[in-house]
Amino acid sequence: MTFSLLRARSTLVWLVLVVVTLVSWALGADHGVGSTVAVVVLGLAVVKVRFVGLDFMELRTAPLMLRALFEAYCFTLWMVLAGMYLWL
Amino acid sequence: MIQASVRPVDGDRSRATGPIPYVPGEPGVWVFLFGDMVVFGVFFATFMYQRAQAPELFDASRHTLSIGIGLTNTLVLLTSSLFVVTAVRAIRLSQRGAAQLMLAGALVCALIFVGLKAVEYTTKVAAGHVPTQNNFYLYFFILTGLHLFHVLIGVGVLVLLLTQARRSTLSATRMAVVEGGACFWHLVDLLWIMLFALLYLVS
């Protein structure tokens, strides 16, 4: 019964999140200062945040306003942090 | 038997009309959650600003962190989130035993996170990496400390969810509390995802 509960989209999302985490670690562990790899790592982190929001916090089926606010947060977070990394 | 909430479970939605928009938890909870996300967003930007002042120092300092602990803690929190989202689904399906098992698993994950954080703090301080060492470690301790505070509140929330999962009946109000509490725990996971990237991989 418990295992049948795990046969859901959220389990697949968890698997994707684990794989993306390992890819981020492999990419980001030893890059140098100013490397564009950091921007990719930040992007992957924001993609993970988006999955957590949409699938774990159930915003995928939330009213458009709530989901749009969250999507805007994710987009702004990536733009601001990547921009600060590249241009400051 | 737990009263079913109005929230549909996976695969239970009408294909003809699509899913009905639904706010998990009380709407007020989202004001708090978004507020917390914005506050941490400002902290993340402040960290990036400080990093830009001394990129070599930040890069050298991040290499002294225990990346194995950071990575393990990320995987542990992701797993705890899977446990919590599955527990909420189990509660909606009136599967109390499964819900309690999942929430107990999430609690174990939370305690593993706290334990690993304690080990990390102890080894860093013993090696002389204290908040006064440089700006990187100042922000490392402030940001991870604030997050750890959220984790400890989250442990209390998970215990609350566990007590709700044991109840034979669950009103719509209690169900909203369960959903709100679950979303708080996912927020803890979400914030750590960014902290892991910023502190351990990017800086």
Side-chain angles (χ1 to χ4, degrees):
Chain A
M1 192 180 275
T2 303
F3 286 110
S4 66
L5 277 170
L6 289 168
R7 223 176 289 133
R9 179 188 166 90
S10 49
T11 307
L12 188 64
V13 168
W14 170 79
L15 199 60
V16 169
L17 290 173
V18 168
V19 170
V20 174
T21 299
L22 294 174
V23 169
S24 300
W25 166 66
L27 280 175
D30 277 320
H31 71 87
V33 176
S35 162
T36 48
V37 167
V39 177
V40 176
V41 169
L42 279 173
L44 289 175
V46 171
V47 166
K48 285 163 62 184
V49 163
R50 186 171 175 270
F51 269 119
V52 168
L54 294 190
D55 290 290
F56 290 170
M57 296 168 116
E58 303 183 305
L59 290 176
R60 194 175 290 281
T61 50
L64 187 61
M65 175 67 92
L66 192 58
R67 178 173 174 173
L69 264 176
F70 182 74
E71 300 267 19
Y73 175 82
C74 293
F75 182 74
T76 308
L77 197 61
W78 187 34
M79 287 293 110
V80 169
L81 297 181
M84 292 181 84
Y85 184 86
L86 288 174
W87 291 299
L88 276 187
Chain B
M1 185 171 157
I2 298 173
Q3 289 172 0
S5 73
V6 291
R7 174 70 177 181
V9 292
D10 278 0
D12 208 25
R13 297 166 186 142
S14 163
R15 286 181 188 281
T17 57
I20 301 163
Y22 177 86
V23 178
E26 296 288 346
V29 167
W30 286 95
V31 176
F32 168 74
L33 295 178
F34 272 111
D36 219 19
M37 282 161 59
V38 169
V39 168
F40 264 88
V42 172
F43 284 145
F44 298 155
T46 308
F47 175 81
M48 289 303 274
Y49 176 77
Q50 291 295 336
R51 178 209 152 271
Q53 310 307 307
E56 284 80 14
L57 171 75
F58 272 56
D59 191 53
S61 297
R62 87 170 172 98
H63 280 99
T64 61
L65 291 180
S66 311
I67 194 165
I69 290 182
L71 178 66
T72 308
N73 267 344
T74 306
L75 298 176
V76 163
L77 279 191
L78 287 175
T79 306
S80 73
S81 267
L82 174 65
F83 282 141
V84 169
V85 75
T86 309
V88 171
R89 191 178 317 116
I91 290 172
R92 287 181 186 137
L93 291 169
S94 303
Q95 296 182 14
R96 280 194 297 159
Q100 289 171 50
L101 191 65
M102 291 292 160
L103 288 169
L107 262 173
V108 169
C109 288
L111 295 177
I112 290 172
F113 183 95
V114 173
L116 285 175
K117 208 79 214 138
V119 170
E120 188 179 30
Y121 280 167
T122 307
T123 52
K124 291 307 136 202
V125 170
H129 301 306
V130 290
T132 51
Q133 184 189 357
N134 59 36
N135 265 352
F136 175 84
Y137 269 103
L138 175 65
Y139 278 91
F140 171 79
F141 279 102
I142 289 175
L143 292 174
T144 58
L146 275 173
H147 179 264
L148 185 61
F149 178 63
H150 280 67
V151 173
L152 294 175
I153 294 172
V155 168
V157 169
L158 289 177
V159 171
L160 174 71
L161 297 195
L162 196 53
T163 61
Q164 298 306 304
R166 293 166 71 96
R167 297 177 75 94
S168 55
T169 58
L170 216 56
S171 64
T173 307
R174 285 187 185 277
M175 193 61 214
V177 169
V178 167
E179 290 171 349
C183 284
F184 178 79
W185 185 255
H186 298 311
L187 173 79
V188 169
D189 185 13
L190 179 158
L191 294 175
W192 179 256
I193 286 171
M194 287 310 299
L195 284 176
F196 175 64
L198 280 177
L199 295 170
Y200 294 80
L201 301 176
V202 168
S203 65

